[in-house]
Every structure is written in C-alpha cells, then in structure tokens.
Amino acid sequence: MGVDSDIDFVPYIASLEANIDNNLVNFIADIKSKIANLKIKNSKYELNNTKLYGNYTLHVEDLNNLKFLTNKELKGNITIDGKYSYDKTLYVDGRSDFLEAKSVFDLKDNLFSLKSEDLAIENITDMLLYPRVFNSFSSLILNYNIDTKKGDLLLEALNGKIVANEFTELLFLASKFDLSQEIYKDSTLKAHINNKQVNFNLIMNGLDSYIGIPSGFVDLDKNIIDSDFEVKIEHRDFKGGINGSLDKPEITLNNSEYLQKKLDKVIEKNVPDEWQDTAKE
C-alpha cells in the first residue's frame, strides 16, 4: 500500500479493526512507514452526523526523516500522545517529553499553539545541529498560523551561561571580562516568524553584564543571520554585529564609547598635540 504527495512515493503498512454498533463505528488503526508510526486508538465515527474523534500516538524514530517538511537536517526522535476530533473542523492536541521537556500543543482552525517547560536550550541547538552557544533551562510559547505561515515565539531562560566562543573571546580581549563565566539571571527572546524569515530581539541580564540584540534577522531558507548587538560590562559598553552563516557567523566590534575613551587617552599620551585631533578621528 502507499500514498502520493509532494514527496517521493512512501510505502506504508496499515491495519484496521472496526465494528459497527447502530450509527457508531468503533475502530483502531496502525500505520507504519519509514517516516513515522501512527497508532489510532479508542476512536469513534458517528455515521449520522459524521463526527470523528479518538486518541493517537505518533512516533518518529529519526527526525531527519521529516526533512521534506523542514528542509533542514535534524537530530533526535519524538513521541506524541494526544486526542483528535473532526466536526466540520479538525482539532488535534498532544503532549510529549520531546528534548526531555514537558510540552503540550493544540491545533485548531489552522492555529498551532505550543508550550514547553524545563526546556534545555542546548538540546534545541543539538537537535538543529547548530553549535552550542548558551546553556540554560527555559520556557517556550509558540503561536503559529499554518495557512499564513506567520507566528510569534517567546523564550524565557533563567540562570544561563554562555558557552565560550568567538564572541566571548572577542569581548575578553576588549574588556578582560570573561562572559562565559557570567550567570545570566534572566534572558528573553521574542521572535516574529514570517514563513522562513524571523525577526527577533534578545535581552540577557547578568550579574555584572548585559547583552542585547534590539533588532535581529534570521533567514532560515538561506541559513543566515544579520543583527547588531550591544554589551554592557560594569561601566564599559561595546557594540557590534553578528552576520553570516548561522553555523559560524562573523562577529565584529564596531562601536564602543569605552574603547574610544581608552584610545583617546593613549593618543593624548603618545601622539604630538598637533596630530591628536586627526588621530582621534
């Protein structure tokens, strides 16, 4: 048996058990394929008003099998248990321990809503096959319209730490402060999704530092990021940009009142008076 779609022909094996009692069909089904296994359980179909409802379990052993949907390689597996119904419109809900977090979702009128608690950010980056940049437990809320491909995401993390990387090394050279040793008490990421383009802002409040991205942009289709950042470390400030591939973006410092004052002092000490204005410019 098989099914045709926008992807290649995918073989599957299906079994169905059903019995009819007056106007009610009770049934269970089991559908297996190389993409996923779906068990339809405790399900009923009301013949007189065409209502359909029941429970299900969906298991995807390898998330990379969903690349035809995500257009991206993924790592891991997922099992979802939930309920479904159809009465003029489709409704589906589910719960999962995906990425070792407690997650619940529902889908109604093409509106998908997801909530996750105790979600480790490093598990997200591992699943997406991106380098680890931040370790923390977080909560996530996603609302997404499947028809318009637009949605909003809110991620809030507590007591996180940045993984040592090019960003922390660059700031250490400029400030002698190691951001990878800082504790970020609360961090908030807000994002607006428009198809495969994401506009976002980020605020991270540490014990002795602050990191902000007032306006960032990610193109998931091209796998690129374009954003400016600002960092405050005690009385020092730094500004710069994060640009290029999401896998390994280029990080630059381009503006800092602290560095400017520091350079001015060096110029005043080592450059003749008649050349100081030119050197400062």
Side-chain angles (χ1 to χ4, degrees):
M1 300 179 69
V3 59
D4 281 317
S5 67
D6 293 334
I7 62 172
D8 294 335
F9 183 76
V10 178
Y12 66 84
I13 298 174
S15 62
L16 173 68
E17 297 181 17
N19 65 76
I20 302 176
D21 184 8
N22 293 324
N23 286 314
L24 187 65
V25 179
N26 298 282
F27 68 95
I28 60 173
D30 194 359
I31 304 171
K32 297 180 180 180
S33 76
K34 67 178 183 179
I35 294 177
N37 295 333
L38 175 64
K39 290 183 180 291
I40 304 296
K41 304 178 291 185
N42 305 321
S43 295
K44 301 180 185 298
Y45 179 64
E46 298 179 6
L47 296 172
N48 57 344
N49 53 23
T50 66
K51 288 183 179 180
L52 177 67
Y53 48 93
N55 301 324
Y56 73 92
T57 295
L58 175 68
H59 178 71
V60 180
E61 182 59 31
D62 185 354
L63 289 175
N64 213 35
N65 291 336
L66 302 178
K67 189 175 179 180
F68 70 96
L69 290 174
T70 62
N71 293 319
K72 177 172 175 40
E73 292 185 359
L74 300 173
K75 177 183 176 183
N77 58 72
I78 186 172
T79 299
I80 303 171
D81 292 295
K83 303 187 300 293
Y84 73 93
S85 64
Y86 183 81
D87 182 11
K88 297 181 181 179
T89 61
L90 176 66
Y91 173 82
V92 180
D93 70 21
R95 59 192 179 278
S96 175
D97 293 330
F98 181 51
L99 299 181
E100 301 177 7
K102 299 295 182 183
S103 300
V104 295
F105 74 86
D106 63 65
L107 173 64
K108 184 178 181 181
D109 296 330
N110 294 312
L111 298 177
F112 177 79
S113 298
L114 169 70
K115 292 183 179 180
S116 291
E117 297 291 341
D118 298 324
L119 177 61
I121 291 180
E122 57 266 36
N123 288 346
I124 300 176
T125 49
D126 288 351
M127 184 265 294
L128 295 171
L129 298 176
Y130 290 142
R132 290 188 177 185
V133 293
F134 191 64
N135 293 334
S136 177
F137 285 97
S138 65
S139 64
L140 180 147
I141 298 175
L142 171 67
N143 293 296
Y144 184 76
N145 188 307
I146 294 176
D147 277 346
T148 64
K149 297 182 179 179
K150 294 182 179 181
D152 294 290
L153 179 146
L154 173 65
L155 181 72
E156 296 180 310
L158 296 175
N159 299 323
K161 293 188 70 174
I162 299 176
V163 177
N165 54 35
E166 182 184 348
F167 177 74
T168 61
E169 291 172 2
L170 183 64
L171 268 296
F172 180 76
L173 289 174
S175 67
K176 302 304 179 186
F177 185 91
D178 190 352
L179 290 174
S180 68
Q181 298 302 310
E182 174 74 303
I183 300 294
Y184 288 91
K185 301 175 296 179
D186 57 87
S187 303
T188 302
L189 171 71
K190 295 181 180 180
H192 177 70
I193 304 164
N194 186 356
N195 199 355
K196 293 189 177 181
Q197 297 184 339
V198 182
N199 292 287
F200 70 94
N201 62 73
L202 171 68
I203 295 175
M204 299 171 61
N205 294 304
L207 298 175
D208 295 302
S209 66
Y210 161 88
I211 298 175
I213 297 179
S215 179
F217 172 77
V218 169
D219 189 317
L220 296 174
D221 192 35
K222 298 178 180 178
N223 199 44
I224 59 174
I225 183 172
D226 182 6
S227 66
D228 294 327
F229 68 81
E230 54 187 31
V231 178
K232 294 181 180 179
I233 300 172
E234 297 170 338
H235 61 280
R236 295 159 286 183
D237 74 295
F238 304 91
K239 293 183 180 181
I242 304 174
N243 310 92
S245 167
L246 279 170
D247 301 314
K248 194 173 182 180
E250 180 182 357
I251 300 171
T252 56
L253 280 177
N254 55 32
N255 189 14
S256 168
E257 184 179 341
Y258 165 75
L259 287 181
Q260 184 64 55
K261 290 180 178 179
K262 199 169 184 179
L263 287 171
D264 286 349
K265 290 180 180 178
V266 173
I267 291 170
E268 290 169 0
K269 185 177 180 180
N270 297 281
V271 177
D273 291 344
E274 62 270 23
W275 293 103
Q276 286 190 10
D277 290 341
T278 301
K280 289 179 180 180
E281 290 176 6

